[in-house]
């Protein structure tokens, strides 16, 4: 039995959602307005979704781009031993919204609470470990819908009035928790020099901010048109990714001749070997082991690296996908305290998710930060102020 909010929050029987029907292109995403609203089970809350951030993992899961045995394998990850991405599935991990009903055992005082979802599915509930990473939008239905039912202890209250819901979604755990775990796995500490690759995306911009919170010094790899914004966000210097021929020399110039202490790699491919170069060119100048955290492969899924370089230079390598409940709790506290700044590029309507997908794929050349998806019914209040189209911003209606 669940409790609902007052008459302003009457929960309907059906809802709209974008449903993923199989692996493939955006055509596999089907908009429906006749799906049953989920009922909150024991220990759960029902959230009316106001904004959900778009992440690269949505695209990669849809296209089956998580090979784990063969490089051309089409699959999605299944760390628990069996596939959890089944169809139909509602994607969308980084959910912001309002509690409109509570399940058995949940305090009715939470009705009306605004919050942000810790997107993980935690099978063993260990606060310090997450060995079988899965998440809402992959192993369970996510936020590209009007409603979602989630564990009450994973929907964290964030009342900050200075943060709009779309901005709150842009601070979602898919990017920030991944970034934080990259840093904690590599034991990055104050004063250390950190190279952040893929710096203009969601994880990259999170890494820059988190480095500064930890007292580390981030150097960003991006494009010249984004350099000023990345420096404003906290990057000590920005390296042009289009010119890799003199990469190590340019790193030396930025650091005053000192090696990079740790690399946060979101790129992979043949560039990873170049990133290692920035850490090992003068081992005598180091006072800690070189460390490489990798949580992406946007530049290619296969890297050719001499293992002799890894073990002779004692490079420590950390593979990172999701973080822990403890890390999520710390991040939520920083968000409530205003220590983290949302990097929001713009908003799209849920019914316009196909256009958002195309825009997202082209992101490398024209934007910094996150885009969010807003249910059509919530668009005038939570989406229109951040619309990329002037007509939508001014009137809350799509351009003709």
């Amino acid at each position: 039995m669940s409790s609902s909010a007052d008459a302003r929050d009457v929960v309907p029987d059906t809802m709209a959602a974008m449903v993923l029907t199989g692996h493939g292109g955006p055509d596999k995403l089907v908009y429906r307005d006749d799906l049953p609203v989920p009922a909150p089970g024991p220990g759960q809350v029902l959230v009316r979704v106001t904004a959900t951030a778009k992440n690269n993992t949505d695209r990669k899961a849809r296209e089956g781009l998580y090979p784990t045995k063969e490089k051309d394998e089409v699959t999605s990850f299944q760390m628990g031993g069996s596939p959890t991405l089944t169809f139909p599935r509602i994607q969308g991990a980084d959910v912001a919204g309002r509690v409109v009903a509570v399940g058995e055992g949940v305090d009715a005082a939470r009705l009306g609470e605004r919050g942000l979802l810790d997107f993980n599915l935690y099978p063993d509930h260990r606060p310090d470990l997450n060995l079988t990473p899965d998440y809402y939008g992959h192993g369970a239905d996510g936020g590209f819908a009007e409603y979602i039912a989630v564990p009450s202890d994973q929907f964290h209250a964030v009342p900050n009035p200075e943060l709009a819901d779309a901005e709150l979604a842009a601070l979602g755990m898919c990017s920030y928790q991944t970034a934080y775990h990259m840093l904690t796995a590599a034991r990055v500490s104050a004063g250390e020099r950190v190279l952040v690759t893929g710096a203009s995306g969601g994880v990259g911009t999170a890494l820059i901010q988190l480095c500064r919170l930890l007292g580390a010094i981030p150097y960003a790899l991006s494009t010249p048109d984004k350099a000023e914004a990345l420096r404003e966000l906290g990057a000590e210097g920005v390296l042009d990714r289009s010119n890799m021929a003199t990469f190590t020399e340019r790193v030396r110039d930025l650091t005053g001749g000192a090696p990079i202490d740790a690399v946060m790699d979101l790129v992979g491919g043949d560039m990873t070997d170049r990133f290692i170069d920035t850490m090992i060119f003068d081992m005598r100048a180091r006072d800690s082991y070189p460390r490489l955290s990798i949580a992406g492969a946007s530049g290619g899924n296969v890297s050719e690296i001499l293992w002799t370089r890894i073990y002779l230079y004692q490079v420590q390598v950390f593979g990172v996908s999701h973080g822990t409940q403890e890390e999520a709790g710390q991040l939520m506290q920083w968000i409530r305290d205003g220590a983290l700044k949302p990097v929001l590029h713009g908003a799209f309507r849920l019914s316009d998710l196909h256009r958002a997908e195309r825009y997202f794929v082209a992101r490398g050349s024209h934007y910094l930060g996150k885009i969010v998806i807003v249910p059509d019914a919530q668009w005038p209040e939570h989406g229109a102020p951040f619309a990329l189209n002037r007509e939508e911003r001014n009137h809350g209606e799509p351009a003709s």
Side-chain angles (χ1 to χ4, degrees), residues 261 273 276-284 286 288-291 305-317:
D261 292 298
D273 209 36
I276 292 172
D277 286 340
T278 69
M279 297 190 288
I280 66 174
F281 61 73
D282 186 358
M283 293 296 289
R284 294 167 300 180
R286 303 188 61 91
S288 62
Y289 292 116
R291 286 148 284 153
I305 299 171
L306 292 173
W307 281 113
T308 46
R309 278 164 55 83
I310 300 298
Y311 69 75
L312 290 177
Y313 289 100
Q314 302 187 83
V315 178
Q316 299 181 338
V317 180

Side-chain angles (χ1 to χ4, degrees), residues 139-388:
D141 284 340
F144 291 157
E146 292 183 305
Y147 294 90
I148 181 174
V150 296
S152 60
D153 62 352
Q154 286 184 229
F155 190 70
H156 294 259
V158 185
N160 307 36
E162 60 273 13
L163 276 179
D165 286 39
E167 293 173 316
L168 181 57
L171 287 165
M173 294 295 101
C174 190
S175 291
Y176 279 83
Q177 192 194 40
T178 300
Y180 191 32
H181 195 57
M182 293 178 79
L183 294 166
T184 59
R187 302 179 303 281
V188 169
S189 59
E192 291 196 306
R193 296 168 295 275
V194 179
L195 176 63
V196 177
T197 75
S200 65
V203 179
T205 55
L207 278 164
I208 291 170
Q209 294 188 68
L210 289 166
C211 278
R212 289 302 187 184
L213 274 177
L214 298 174
I217 306 166
Y219 295 88
L221 181 67
S222 190
T223 53
D225 58 307
K226 296 168 186 172
E228 182 178 356
L230 290 171
R231 280 192 289 266
E232 289 177 358
L233 200 59
E236 186 77 7
V238 181
L239 295 140
D240 183 358
R241 72 181 185 196
S242 65
N243 177 16
M244 298 300 291
T246 60
F247 183 61
T248 304
E249 290 77 6
R250 287 184 290 126
V251 169
R252 286 186 195 224
D253 290 341
L254 276 177
T255 63
I260 292 293
D261 292 298
V263 173
M264 303 294 111
D265 188 7
L266 302 166
V267 176
D270 58 9
M271 295 176 75
T272 296
D273 209 36
R274 300 286 185 90
F275 301 149
I276 292 172
D277 286 340
T278 69
M279 297 190 288
I280 66 174
F281 61 73
D282 186 358
M283 293 296 289
R284 294 167 300 180
R286 303 188 61 91
D287 56 13
S288 62
Y289 292 116
R291 286 148 284 153
L292 171 73
S293 281
I294 185 158
S298 62
N301 202 36
V302 178
S303 301
E304 184 174 304
I305 299 171
L306 292 173
W307 281 113
T308 46
R309 278 164 55 83
I310 300 298
Y311 69 75
L312 290 177
Y313 289 100
Q314 302 187 83
V315 178
Q316 299 181 338
V317 180
F318 303 92
V320 172
S321 52
H322 297 198
T324 68
Q325 285 181 290
E326 288 178 344
E327 290 165 342
Q330 175 61 78
L331 286 162
M332 292 294 183
Q333 188 58 56
W334 279 330
I335 291 170
R336 283 190 287 266
D337 292 344
L340 293 170
K341 173 186 176 184
V343 186
L344 173 62
H345 177 66
F348 287 82
R349 293 169 182 266
L350 178 60
S351 63
D352 207 14
L353 185 58
H354 286 194
R355 184 166 68 96
E357 291 278 352
R358 293 191 296 271
Y359 189 90
F360 185 86
V361 170
R363 65 185 173 140
S365 61
H366 65 277
Y367 78 84
L368 181 79
K370 305 287 284 189
I371 61 173
V372 300
I373 308 302
V374 176
D376 292 39
Q378 302 294 327
W379 180 258
E381 180 178 359
H382 298 293
F386 305 100
L388 299 174

Side-chain angles (χ1 to χ4, degrees), residues 53-68:
K54 182 85 179 69
N55 290 293
N56 200 36
T57 191
D58 300 321
R59 177 189 65 85
K60 293 183 74 174
R62 169 171 55 77
E63 295 180 2
L65 298 180
Y66 285 114
T68 55

Side-chain angles (χ1 to χ4, degrees), residues 79-103:
M79 301 305 181
S82 59
T84 60
L85 176 60
T86 57
F87 306 109
R89 173 67 75 221
I90 299 170
Q91 293 187 290
D94 289 332
V95 181
R98 304 294 199 286
V99 175
V100 293
V102 298

